[in-house]
Amino acid sequence: MRSSSIANTIFKVLEGQEDHLTAKEIYEKVKVTLSAVDPSTVYRSLERMVHQGQVSVSDMGGPAVVYELVTKNPHHHLVCEQCGKKLTFKNGEIADFLNEVQKESGFQITTNHLVLFGICPACQKKK
Amino acid sequence: MRSSSIANTIFKVLEGQEDHLTAKEIYEKVKVTLSAVDPSTVYRSLERMVHQGQVSVSDMGGPAVVYELVTKNPHHHLVCEQCGKKLTFKNGEIADFLNEVQKESGFQITTNHLVLFGICPACQKKK
DNA sequence: GTATAATATGCAAAGATTTGCATTTACAAT
DNA sequence: ATTGTAAATGCAAATCTTTGCATATTATAC
């Protein structure tokens, strides 16, 4: 009697989402559609999607790690520790660096959502 | 009747530690010395130390984020997603990259423990 | 030293996440 | 279609972490 799998529902939730979501936020949104779903199922399903490379996990400095669909266009962030302001890098700038690391280490780099932390110009002045 | 602060104990625990520890592991080790300590106190104290820049938090791909003392010599890791093997970068290689980012963005970079993920040569062959 | 304020700690309860196990569903081979 | 196997799900319990509030400790100003 199940109309759609949890994974599909998670996929749809992440698809219609600008921002990154925490596991709990995803569970809440899935529950809107599948009201009887168990949290453990959502968490496990999410985990599975990460392991299969469809979803990325990142620590953006918030209270919990956040999830996002892995798209064809990798991107990376620079987050201000103080005010939370986020900058998004075009992939190119970072890709060169990752390629270099790949060449030197022999590892095939899978990081597709790098997050760097810093203090933005505005917050530097405040200090 | 308290002989030493929690923060001091956490500091000592992290000091005598090669590897990175999870919050729970730190709590367990603190409890050895301060048997009556409350977990919430350890977690809060740890949080405080992170906020003050004495301790770094990183997601190393394990079940929970790990903590480490911030030392004078920043270092960075490359972790194999499959077998968990860890490579440690000398700072130089990464520092150049971070300096570049700093120059271009105007952010003062605070990331001092970067973790990249990939697949190590051995695991690539297995596949 | 005393008073005052700020910080750290403990305790209890709530919240979030994980785990073990039984059941159901999907898939493949026959 | 039937069977066998692997994967996904639900449920209950355990575990880990956070939060609110009261108390204790430490630091600061007087």
Side-chain angles (χ1 to χ4, degrees):
Chain A
M1 192 59 83
R2 205 167 292 122
S3 61
S4 67
S5 76
I6 309 288
N8 275 339
T9 310
I10 293 177
F11 198 89
K12 280 180 209 147
V13 163
L14 290 176
E15 220 173 9
Q17 194 60 28
E18 274 303 303
D19 226 348
H20 312 289
L21 296 175
T22 66
K24 191 192 149 210
E25 287 167 344
I26 292 171
Y27 163 61
E28 299 294 351
K29 284 178 184 285
V30 168
K31 204 166 55 169
V32 172
T33 307
L34 304 173
S35 55
V37 75
D38 192 80
S40 73
T41 306
V42 174
Y43 289 130
R44 270 194 279 229
S45 198
L46 199 46
E47 175 87 7
R48 212 176 295 139
M49 294 169 86
V50 170
H51 189 254
Q52 294 169 352
Q54 302 154 313
V55 171
S56 71
V57 205
S58 327
D59 179 353
M60 301 272 289
V65 297
V66 292
Y67 297 84
E68 184 186 19
L69 274 191
V70 171
T71 65
K72 303 292 175 292
N73 297 324
H75 63 279
H76 311 282
H77 295 284
L78 181 48
V79 180
C80 179
E81 278 189 349
Q82 313 214 338
C83 68
K85 181 180 176 182
K86 288 177 205 162
L87 235 72
T88 301
F89 293 110
K90 295 179 292 278
N91 187 37
E93 321 174 35
I94 308 292
D96 292 347
F97 164 66
L98 293 180
N99 281 332
E100 191 62 28
V101 170
Q102 184 157 309
K103 213 178 295 173
E104 287 185 14
S105 65
F107 276 55
Q108 176 188 335
I109 303 295
T110 53
T111 293
N112 51 23
H113 191 251
L114 193 62
V115 181
L116 299 177
F117 294 93
I119 303 176
C120 74
C123 287
Q124 284 174 48
K125 280 178 199 154
K126 283 177 204 159
K127 186 67 176 303
Chain B
M1 193 61 80
R2 204 167 290 121
S3 61
S4 67
S5 77
I6 309 289
N8 276 339
T9 310
I10 292 177
F11 198 89
K12 281 180 209 146
V13 163
L14 290 176
E15 220 173 10
Q17 194 60 29
E18 273 303 302
D19 226 349
H20 312 289
L21 297 175
T22 66
K24 191 194 148 209
E25 287 167 343
I26 292 171
Y27 163 62
E28 299 294 352
K29 283 177 185 286
V30 167
K31 205 165 56 170
V32 172
T33 307
L34 304 173
S35 55
V37 74
D38 192 82
S40 73
T41 306
V42 174
Y43 289 131
R44 269 194 280 228
S45 199
L46 199 47
E47 176 88 7
R48 211 176 295 139
M49 295 170 86
V50 170
H51 189 255
Q52 295 169 352
Q54 302 154 314
V55 171
S56 72
V57 204
S58 326
D59 179 352
M60 302 270 290
V65 296
V66 292
Y67 298 82
E68 184 185 18
L69 274 192
V70 171
T71 65
K72 302 292 176 292
N73 298 325
H75 62 281
H76 312 283
H77 295 283
L78 181 47
V79 180
C80 178
E81 278 189 350
Q82 313 213 339
C83 68
K85 181 179 176 182
K86 288 178 205 164
L87 236 71
T88 301
F89 293 109
K90 295 179 294 277
N91 187 37
E93 322 174 36
I94 308 291
D96 292 347
F97 164 66
L98 293 180
N99 282 332
E100 191 61 27
V101 170
Q102 185 157 307
K103 214 178 293 173
E104 287 185 13
S105 65
F107 276 54
Q108 176 188 334
I109 303 296
T110 54
T111 293
N112 51 23
H113 191 251
L114 193 63
V115 181
L116 298 177
F117 294 93
I119 302 175
C120 75
C123 287
Q124 284 174 47
K125 279 178 200 154
K126 284 178 204 159
K127 187 67 178 302

